[in-house]
Amino acid sequence: AQKVTQAQTEISVVEKEDVTLDCVYETRDTTYYLFWYKQPPSGELVFLIRRNSFDEQNEISGRYSWNFQKSTSSFNFTITASQVVDSAVYFCALGAPNQGAQKLVFGQGTRLTINP
Amino acid sequence: EAQVTQNPRYLITVTGKKLTVTCSQNMNHEYMSWYRQDPGLGLRQIYYSMNVEVTDKGDVPEGYKVSRKEKRNFPLILESPSPNQTSLYFCASSSTGAGNYGYTFGSGTRLTVV
């Protein structure tokens, strides 16, 4: 069975600090996809990144970076020099086409608060 | 603008009163899905559809119905809502399979059943 665990329920940091959100996944599939979504206070879900299981290269997009390590089944998300606008709930998700093409399994979410 | 549109955004209803949450997408996506979001549980899939007239249960289908009579629409029906269905609901669509490419989500419907 597929499972995603985000052990950090809530994180609170001061603006400009770096912060890492952890994501650990479980799957028996060799082909799978990992995602991060952001849910700002307005409530919508915003896609951040998609990574397939064959690409372990780290990704950087501005202040955001993602570290994918198959050896530890982790797909962690780091925000560098955090800003108040980064305050949101962040979800990690796992998709495996062989398990049903329509399914994304989500973690519990991490609520990130950036204090001025 | 490419989007998934849900209505209403907010709804308060009483136990047992049938309701429908509408969902429409303008991207010609084949795949659509409904999720509910609850604190500490993340998002859980209720139902999904792979095409017109093709639907199937997700992880938490009890108490819900769906239909897919047209490609763009995927309404969620609560025949007899109960307080445990109080939640934030998201409709989502995908062109080639969410497992590969993820979903585009609607803005959400916050439902309260009293």
Side-chain angles (χ1 to χ4, degrees):
Chain A
Q2 296 178 291
K3 186 178 180 181
V4 176
T5 301
Q6 295 178 255
Q8 304 152 308
T9 305
E10 295 190 27
I11 300 175
S12 181
V13 301
V14 176
E15 198 171 21
K16 297 183 184 176
E17 286 186 18
D18 298 347
V19 58
T20 296
L21 282 61
D22 297 333
C23 173
V24 174
Y25 63 91
E26 296 176 29
T27 182
R28 293 180 181 174
D29 291 88
T30 55
T31 300
Y32 54 90
Y33 297 83
L34 295 162
F35 304 83
W36 277 93
Y37 285 86
K38 175 183 180 180
Q39 186 177 45
S42 51
E44 72 272 22
L45 286 162
V46 178
F47 168 83
L48 294 178
I49 191 172
R50 165 183 175 265
R51 173 67 70 204
N52 75 58
S53 54
F54 299 106
D55 183 0
E56 286 194 72
Q57 280 192 333
N58 290 336
E59 174 116 0
I60 298 175
S61 177
R63 295 183 297 105
Y64 294 174
S65 63
W66 290 269
N67 179 256
F68 176 29
Q69 291 195 341
K70 289 179 75 170
S71 60
T72 56
S73 298
S74 64
F75 187 45
N76 296 337
F77 173 32
T78 297
I79 301 175
T80 302
S82 59
Q83 300 177 2
V84 173
V85 294
D86 296 325
S87 296
V89 180
Y90 290 87
F91 290 98
C92 181
L94 168 67
N98 290 337
Q99 293 290 337
Q102 305 322 304
K103 190 162 191 167
L104 281 188
V105 176
F106 284 82
Q108 303 92 321
T110 297
R111 181 177 298 278
L112 176 63
T113 302
I114 310 298
N115 300 298
Chain B
E1 179 188 354
Q3 59 185 2
V4 178
T5 302
Q6 297 177 229
N7 281 297
R9 288 293 308 275
Y10 302 92
L11 179 60
I12 301 175
T13 190
V14 296
T15 299
K17 185 177 182 182
K18 181 179 179 179
L19 67 91
T20 299
V21 183
T22 64
C23 174
S24 180
Q25 50 94 4
N26 63 1
M27 297 167 280
N28 203 36
H29 284 172
E30 291 187 354
Y31 303 95
M32 298 186 74
S33 185
W34 276 101
Y35 280 82
R36 61 177 288 174
Q37 180 183 345
D38 301 291
L41 297 176
L43 283 83
R44 294 176 293 167
Q45 192 179 49
I46 302 170
Y47 269 95
Y48 63 90
S49 170
M50 290 182 281
N51 214 326
V52 175
E53 302 292 1
V54 181
T55 64
D56 207 348
K57 297 177 181 178
D59 295 321
V60 288
E62 294 78 20
Y64 304 95
K65 287 175 58 178
V66 293
S67 68
R68 189 93 181 271
K69 293 183 172 57
E70 304 167 280
K71 195 172 186 179
R72 62 184 290 126
N73 296 325
F74 190 44
L76 179 69
I77 303 157
L78 285 70
E79 295 271 3
S80 182
S82 62
N84 64 11
Q85 292 178 298
T86 293
S87 187
L88 178 59
Y89 290 88
F90 287 98
C91 181
S93 72
S94 177
S95 59
T96 55
N100 293 355
Y101 292 97
Y103 276 117
T104 299
F105 286 89
S107 298
T109 295
R110 187 167 293 280
L111 172 65
T112 302
V113 183
V114 298

